[in-house]
Amino acid sequence: MATILVVDDEPKITLLLQGELEDAGHEVLVANDGDRARQLVATKRLDVVLTDLRLGAVDGLAVLRAAKAADSSILVILMTAYATVGSAVTAMKEGAADYLEKPVDLDKLRWVLDRALESRRLALENSRLRERVGRGDVGHANMVRGRSATMQRVLGLVQKVA
């Protein structure tokens, strides 16, 4: 399904989330600090980064920025046991897909992840379709050509209008 990087400085949490996400069919990478997370973001193809906000010297916002710099389509979900309106607003302004309070409700995490991945899939599909339209791959020239005189008149009219 998706390649997910889980970032938390508490090994028990990364182990729990890794198991849960792998059971759901995802490929999971783990980092226990922000520096390692930034290295993985720069070198691996990721779909999602699930990171704690407080990690030490390199915090979750730095991981978020690195992920967005590497690939703007990477979804970043921040988690924190110290949720504030200010940190949530900052995270969303920086491009976070969502913001979860710890301890993370696993059902909510699954729902947030599914919703975010579907949104990403639709955005990528939209982008691909826009490229096709821009290249002219989509349009009346690629329609099935009718052989009837009526259809030929319609296609002739479409050509004149175009």
Side-chain angles (χ1 to χ4, degrees):
M1 285 187 92
T3 303
I4 302 172
L5 172 61
V6 175
V7 186
D8 202 303
D9 54 359
E10 296 180 42
K12 289 180 182 178
I13 291 177
T14 55
L15 188 61
L16 171 73
L17 293 173
Q18 180 180 19
E20 184 69 26
L21 295 169
E22 285 176 346
D23 287 349
H26 301 291
E27 178 185 347
V28 181
L29 303 170
V30 173
N32 291 316
D33 61 66
D35 279 330
R36 178 68 179 140
R38 289 194 308 187
Q39 289 171 357
L40 290 169
V41 161
T43 59
K44 302 289 184 183
R45 194 201 66 73
L46 301 170
D47 299 303
V48 179
V49 175
L50 179 61
T51 183
D52 191 8
L53 185 58
R54 291 190 180 180
L55 293 169
V58 178
D59 67 3
L61 289 175
V63 173
L64 165 66
R65 290 182 200 109
K68 291 299 181 179
D71 179 353
S72 63
S73 74
I74 294 175
L75 300 168
V76 180
I77 300 170
L78 287 164
M79 310 174 290
T80 185
Y82 307 97
T84 66
V85 172
S87 65
V89 168
T90 300
M92 300 312 270
K93 281 184 178 179
E94 297 266 353
D98 218 314
Y99 182 94
L100 300 172
E101 287 188 62
K102 286 171 128 182
V104 174
D105 177 320
L106 295 177
D107 288 332
K108 184 174 182 178
L109 173 61
R110 281 189 292 274
W111 181 84
V112 164
L113 191 57
D114 289 345
R115 187 192 62 163
L117 287 169
E118 178 63 10
S119 175
R120 180 177 192 252
R121 185 192 67 75
L122 290 171
L124 291 173
E125 181 179 344
N126 187 354
S127 178
R128 283 192 298 272
L129 288 173
R130 285 179 185 271
E131 286 176 20
R132 286 184 60 201
V133 168
R135 287 192 315 259
D137 292 349
V138 177
H140 78 278
N142 293 320
M143 291 184 346
V144 175
R145 300 263 180 194
R147 298 198 189 282
S148 72
T150 304
M151 190 62 186
Q152 290 301 312
R153 282 193 304 274
V154 168
L155 291 172
L157 182 60
V158 168
Q159 186 64 36
K160 285 179 186 175
V161 171

